[in-house]
Amino acid sequence: MRRLKSIHGEWSSQGGFFLAATGAVVGLGNIWKYPYIAGQNGGGAFLLVYLVCLLLVGMPLMMAELLLGRRGRGSPPAAFREIAMDEGRCRPWAAVGIFAVAAGLLILSFYSVIAGWGLDYMWMSARGEYRGLDATAVQGVFSRLNDEPWRLLFWHSLFMAMTVAVVSRGVRQGLERASRLFVPALFILLSVLGLYAAVEGGVGRAMAYMFEPDFAAIDGKVVLIALGHAFFTLSLGTGTMMAYGAYLPDRVSIARMSLWVVLADTLAALLSGIAIYPLVFAGHLPVMQGPGLVFTVLPSAFGHARCGDLFGTLFYAALVLAALTSAIALLEPAVAWWVERGKSRAKAALWVGGGVWVLGVMTILSFNIWSGVLILGHTWFGLLDMLTGNLMLPVVGLLIVIFVGWMIAGRSLRQELALSRAAVRVWLTVLRYVTPVAMLLVLLNALGLIRGGI
Ligand code: TRP
């Protein structure tokens, strides 16, 4: 196949790509999910299982997505169509790309509302609003916030505006520049917060919670949890890595970059745990995950700790930065697709961002005015969360694995990966036989069709 060129430009260097991709993978999941699932499921033993899942399933799949993107040099639908035609496969494979892009936009629509919570908490924290409050009182703060659609709308709009502003500036001036600034800032903030938490106490229990290995806790269910999280945390199945791969210079090693990104993602997850759990234990607060942890438990921890206003503000700033660098990665594939069809980047970013903003408004309403409206037993927010995470992403992941593992000629793969024959063979064997089974299990588990019965 002749070498294509991306019409969107390229990352300036492998460092630029590394920071952008790290920004894309490090998100809310690293902060509010990993430390908890590790703590609940065997600590250090879970970490080991999780690392195996990352290296055996996550990394090969990330390589597959990057490879597709770089070979097709375009947005996910365009890259899929280009490669399918070139390999003599049928065009409808492009539908996988479209499906991936759609999943990304749906996720962005509620990610932005959650990031909006983060902005509001940053502001409250800076004003010392939850100083001295206990967990029940903070619970009240959170439900009051969700009872105010206009307030949620304000922050959601601000966050979407920032996301659109970055994406409309393009690959180098927008995505890469923002990542060069925000990703190091995020890691510095997490480290500072980790040190602060260590000084405030509770560190021993937090370390034991996250790292003390309990191998007896590992069973089929725990492996499925680790697999599912490894997949989600690497932002696979949304076309993001395909789009980011399309801007990867030819000479950069896909395997090496994937490994670094996986390591950076894991580092962020561990740092988050070290920043969060000492405070939780020191304050004798309930151990939780997700929004409950970040928006009801932690404010009360910061509300009682020394200089809690300052460090609380820094914590929510870190959360917002993590969300922002993921949000631009969720918006980019759709925008790139439209640009390829002749739209100017600024207009495409504005219109797609506007559409996502409207969807986000539905999420906002589902917290208050529409909280009684249930679709298949879920609110709009619950439905989107479930539909994307449990269905769309694993399906896309599975189809990508099948496409790259079985539909592309070995010669093309070798050319793109530029690894030794033996290394490509190992990767391909894993991609053909291990990854699809793992993805299928993730899917069946997410759909509730297996209950850890393996
Ligand atoms: N990996 C992100 C997290 O850990 C969430 C996510 C899933 C994502 N798919 C994505 C982010 C695609 C950006 C792009 O929270």
Side-chain angles (χ1 to χ4, degrees), residues 55-406:
L55 295 177
L56 208 63
V57 179
M59 189 176 141
L61 188 50
M62 179 179 284
M63 288 169 66
E65 286 204 20
L66 290 174
L67 174 159
L68 279 181
R70 185 161 77 179
R71 185 139 186 275
R73 285 285 184 215
S75 65
F80 252 112
R81 201 182 31 170
E82 193 69 46
I83 299 170
M85 276 167 25
D86 205 58
E87 299 285 339
R89 306 291 168 186
C90 57
R91 268 161 170 252
W93 274 104
V96 181
I98 298 176
F99 205 58
V101 170
L105 294 180
L106 291 178
I107 293 180
L108 179 57
S109 77
F110 63 84
Y111 221 75
S112 168
V113 177
I114 295 174
W117 284 339
L119 284 167
D120 191 296
Y121 270 67
M122 200 173 134
W123 178 238
M124 281 201 280
S125 205
R127 299 183 352 148
E129 279 191 29
Y130 39 66
R131 210 175 290 157
L133 296 189
D134 63 16
T136 330
V138 181
Q139 183 79 51
V141 170
F142 190 47
S143 38
R144 268 199 301 285
L145 167 61
N146 283 319
D147 279 340
E148 292 183 45
W150 290 108
R151 190 162 143 203
L152 295 175
L153 187 68
F154 172 74
W155 296 115
H156 164 56
S157 309
L158 182 65
F159 185 80
M160 278 310 297
M162 293 194 285
T163 308
V164 166
V166 172
V167 172
S168 65
R169 282 182 173 69
V171 175
R172 258 195 219 184
Q173 292 303 314
L175 308 188
E176 183 172 332
R177 238 174 79 193
S179 308
R180 278 185 187 278
L181 200 64
F182 296 154
V183 174
L186 170 63
F187 277 88
I188 292 171
L189 278 177
L190 288 178
S191 311
V192 168
L193 286 160
L195 287 176
Y196 166 72
V199 175
E200 281 300 299
V203 136
R205 284 191 57 198
M207 288 296 171
Y209 178 65
M210 275 174 54
F211 295 112
E212 204 173 284
D214 173 12
F215 286 94
I218 306 295
D219 56 15
K221 198 163 122 251
V222 170
V223 174
L224 286 174
I225 293 176
L227 261 180
H229 188 66
F231 175 74
F232 183 78
T233 193
L234 295 180
S235 301
L236 302 168
T238 47
T240 288
M241 283 301 146
M242 289 181 65
Y244 278 30
Y247 317 142
L248 195 58
D250 277 331
R251 50 185 196 287
V252 176
S253 160
I254 284 178
R256 184 165 342 121
M257 283 295 109
S258 303
L259 183 61
W260 279 111
V261 172
V262 167
L263 291 177
D265 184 72
T266 309
L267 179 65
L270 299 180
L271 277 178
S272 304
I274 294 171
I276 291 175
Y277 279 96
L279 294 175
V280 172
F281 286 118
H284 305 287
L285 295 164
V287 174
M288 276 206 235
Q289 65 170 336
L293 169 67
V294 166
F295 298 112
T296 67
V297 172
L298 280 183
S300 124
F302 286 118
H304 289 90
R306 265 171 301 170
C307 307
D309 298 349
L310 171 65
F311 286 96
T313 310
L314 294 182
F315 174 79
Y316 292 104
L319 189 81
V320 169
L321 287 185
L324 186 59
T325 47
S326 290
I328 58 181
L330 287 162
L331 186 59
E332 172 62 20
V335 170
W337 187 26
W338 213 356
V339 170
E340 286 156 6
R341 303 180 139 233
K343 198 89 178 160
S344 81
R345 184 170 264 273
K347 280 195 186 139
L350 201 63
W351 280 105
V352 180
V356 170
W357 179 83
V358 172
L359 280 175
V361 172
M362 300 186 47
T363 292
I364 288 177
L365 293 174
S366 78
F367 291 135
N368 34 70
I369 298 170
W370 291 352
S371 62
V373 182
L374 299 185
I375 315 161
L376 304 173
H378 296 271
T379 62
W380 174 256
F381 168 66
L383 184 75
L384 272 193
D385 187 20
M386 193 192 64
L387 205 67
T388 51
N390 294 359
L391 189 67
M392 294 178 87
L393 303 195
V395 166
V396 171
L398 186 60
L399 290 171
I400 289 179
V401 172
I402 294 173
F403 187 71
V404 177
W406 298 94

